[in-house]
Each structure stands twice: as structure tokens, then as C-alpha cells.
Amino acid sequence: MVDDLRKYLNHLLEKVNGLHCILITDRDGVPLVRAVTERAPQLALRPNFISTFGMATDQAGKLGLGRNKTIISMYPSYQVIQMNKLPLVITFIGSDNCNTGHILSLESQIEPFLKDLAAVVVDAP
Amino acid sequence: MQSDEEDTTLHSCFDSLKSAVMGCCYSICHKENDLQENIINERTHLLEVPEQQHETPAPVASATTPPRKPDEQSALNRILQETATNVIDVGALGPYALEASAYSERVRAYTARVAAAPPPPPPPPPRLLADVPHSERNQLLSRPPLTYEDKELVNLIEHRHDFLIENFGRYF
């Protein structure tokens, strides 16, 4: 399953110009599947970077606007888009000029695979 | 002599009151001793305040207070818990990181479980306006543009088309 999924994520990576990596992790940043190019910043792939999203999305959900779904963070050279699919988190890292809407549109194409992956995380000890 | 003793007693009483009631105005504490209490001045309340409001609130868990009913206590606990959950306290979150051993153990568990999982469903069907890969897109965009004659032909056809539509009622 992993190889097929990784291949599919690599295919999605090629479709979006400037997208460096797609990570599917649990909320602590432990990776399940990842498709990474050499341009991806290594610091942003660390679990302690990714796991901050879990806390941030919890806090953002308390602002009275309902459950937080996505957080987009813009940096001078990169953009990080993280989606709340708890118990999973999808992280996209792209260049600063990458088309953000194009990245967001990948959600629907990854969604069908998440059910099985979520079961893996839930059943894990 | 007696007046000195009274003064010291009163002052010690005031000191203990002041320490017990934070923010309590000294003038209020001093009220009983005020000889000019009944004289209307700038400190006199416009509305009569009942004495009960000046009393310090009794502590919740004092020995004299009867124990609360269990349902009331549970309701209070629930409210407290809900409030604590709804508070946004980013400062208290702090950095969070898994231990290296726990991390590697979880990675191993996930790898084993994902490998044993059933194959993923087929990718969603292509859309009506399917996107093309980056390399193919570059190839398409790098092709030479339309020639001048082709553009003129398209413009001519469009012009005639507009003319026909505008004068459709006149000729037919």
C-alpha cells in the first residue's frame, strides 16, 4: 500500500509547480507516508515542527468559528499548508510563489486514501 | 493611657482587616471610628449601601459551611472543566516533542501496519478539465505561437459571425 500511495503522492507533487513535499503524519508528526523532493527544507520535516500544528489547530478551534480545518503559514522562501484530518495531519511544503489554491485542491485527491491510514493510527499502540 | 490602649487595639484590628480584605479602602475600615460619620461630605455615599456588601465573602471550603449538594458540585466542576477547555492559553502549551525511542517505535509500528493494509483505492477519475504535468505544460507552452495569417483568419471569421448575428432578423 505504501509504495502505491507514495507513487501517487509523487505524481501529485509533479502536478503542482513549486510544491516540495507532501507528508501524511499522525498528530505528533510521526510520518506514515511521505513524498519529498530534494528542495524541501529539512527543518520543516521534523516531527517537532509538524506537531505544533496539532496544538495550533486545537487552539484555533476555540475562536468561535467552528473546527479549524487548515492552517497556511507563509515564510520568506516557503509556504506550509497543514490540514486537520485528525488523527492524521497532511502537510504540504512549497515555495513561497507556489499556487496555494492549487495545493488546497489536492485535498480532495488525497481524501479517499485517508480512511485506511487513519485506521492504522487508531489501532496502533 | 486608656485612650492609647484603645488606639493600639483599633490599629491592630484595622491592620488585620486590611490584610484580610485586599483592595479594601481604609476609609471604609475606618468608618466605625469616624466621629464625623453623620456629617455629609465628599466621602458620603449618594446611595445608601447596605452593610452586607462590605463583608468579606466567606471562603468556599470553610469548616462552618455545610457541604454542597453533589449535583451542584458536579455542575460546578463541569462548568470549571468546560471553561478550562475553552480558554486559549498559548503560553502554557510549550514545546512538545516525542522521545526518540517512542518516535522510532511508532515509526516501526506504522510501517508494519501500513505494509499489511489493503491496497489503496484507485485514484479518483480524471476531471473534465484535467491538469497536465509540469513538464508537459512547459512543452505545450514553449511551442511556437499562431502565425499572423491564422490570427487574421480567426478575426475575420469572428467579425462575420458577429455581423450575421446582429443582422439575423433583417435577412431571415
Side-chain angles (χ1 to χ4, degrees), chain B residues 1-16 18 26 29-30 32-35:
Chain B
M1 183 70 183
Q2 196 178 356
S3 64
D4 285 347
E5 280 179 6
E6 274 182 0
D7 278 352
T8 51
T9 319
L10 275 172
H11 277 292
S12 64
C13 180
F14 293 146
D15 287 342
S16 60
K18 274 195 288 181
Y26 186 76
C29 297
H30 211 166
E32 289 174 9
N33 208 28
D34 198 350
L35 297 174

Side-chain angles (χ1 to χ4, degrees), chain B residues 29-95:
Chain B
C29 297
H30 211 166
K31 189 176 170 183
E32 289 174 9
N33 208 28
D34 198 350
L35 297 174
Q36 298 174 337
E37 189 182 6
N38 297 324
I39 299 171
I40 295 171
N41 57 20
E42 75 278 2
R43 293 179 187 277
T44 312
H45 290 287
L46 293 175
L47 295 174
E48 198 170 325
V49 182
E51 279 301 312
Q52 285 177 347
Q53 286 187 9
H54 295 295
E55 290 176 3
T56 51
V60 177
S62 72
T64 53
T65 313
R68 291 179 186 280
K69 291 174 189 174
D71 56 339
E72 189 186 351
Q73 194 65 41
S74 64
L76 284 171
N77 283 338
R78 189 170 46 78
I79 292 166
L80 183 65
Q81 199 173 347
E82 276 178 16
T83 312
T85 311
N86 290 332
V87 164
I88 301 174
D89 190 2
V90 178
L93 293 174

Side-chain angles (χ1 to χ4, degrees), chain A residues 1-2 4-5 8 11 14-17 26-34 45 47-48 51 55-56 59-60 62-63 102 105 108-109 112-113 116-117 119-121 123-125, chain B residues 84-90 93-98 102-103 105-111 113-124 127 130-135 137-138:
Chain A
M1 180 189 182
V2 191
D4 292 338
L5 195 50
Y8 182 65
H11 166 69
E14 284 178 15
K15 281 176 65 174
V16 182
N17 192 19
D26 69 358
R27 68 173 296 146
D28 294 326
V30 182
L32 278 92
V33 190
R34 44 188 266 173
L45 304 179
N48 51 4
S51 64
M55 292 184 282
Q59 303 304 313
K62 297 175 184 176
L63 294 171
H102 203 166
S105 73
S108 61
Q109 298 178 55
F113 304 100
D116 291 333
L117 287 177
V120 167
V121 172
D123 295 342
Chain B
T85 311
N86 290 332
V87 164
I88 301 174
D89 190 2
V90 178
L93 293 174
Y96 171 73
L98 270 179
Y103 176 80
E105 190 183 331
R106 214 186 280 186
V107 167
R108 216 174 302 128
Y110 286 165
T111 311
R113 284 179 167 274
V114 172
R127 298 175 180 182
D131 198 6
V132 294
H134 184 56
S135 54
R137 196 186 315 152
N138 280 351

